[in-house]
Amino acid sequence: MRLFVLASALALALGGCASTTSGPSRLTGQELDAAVALYGPWADQVEVKGQTRYIWRRSLLTNGQSTYCELRVELGFRRTIRRAYLEGFPAACELFAVRYESLTK
């Protein structure tokens, strides 16, 4: 995960008009609709110790081998996102990165 953050920072420094940020870290404190707007409907909803967790999945086929990554979101006060984290293969987790492009060049 640290490697991904460093690569994102390097891409930001080298690309003047485009930037990549870790989508999950930006979700903290926002409503669940923010995650749905970025990643579409969740794939699964599970109950853990009385709390609902929402899960999005992405898979990537590399050299004939399928890898996956899950984005898991936990809700907190007033149903805002308390925690969002990725779990899985780094290359597949990059599919959750959010890319922003500047409108002016």
Side-chain angles (χ1 to χ4, degrees):
M1 187 65 179
R2 288 184 178 141
L3 180 61
F4 176 70
V5 172
L6 290 173
S8 296
L10 181 61
L12 177 61
L14 295 177
C17 60
S19 63
T20 303
T21 62
S22 175
S25 65
R26 292 261 177 150
L27 293 173
T28 304
Q30 297 187 39
E31 293 182 7
L32 184 62
D33 292 343
V36 173
L38 284 173
Y39 306 117
W42 57 84
D44 206 359
Q45 178 180 348
V46 295
E47 195 81 23
V48 178
K49 295 182 182 178
Q51 288 188 319
T52 304
R53 294 183 184 174
Y54 299 90
I55 301 170
W56 285 260
R57 293 185 181 93
R58 298 288 188 265
S59 60
L60 183 66
L61 187 62
T62 307
N63 298 330
Q65 185 177 1
S66 182
T67 58
Y68 76 96
C69 184
E70 289 185 349
L71 165 63
R72 297 178 185 190
V73 170
E74 298 174 8
L75 299 183
F77 183 67
R78 293 193 181 181
R79 297 192 47 85
T80 58
I81 296 172
R82 178 180 62 197
R83 184 173 177 220
Y85 58 97
L86 295 172
E87 188 174 304
F89 290 88
C93 289
E94 287 181 21
L95 296 173
F96 285 106
V98 178
R99 183 173 170 86
Y100 297 96
E101 301 247 354
S102 175
L103 297 176
T104 60
K105 294 193 177 192

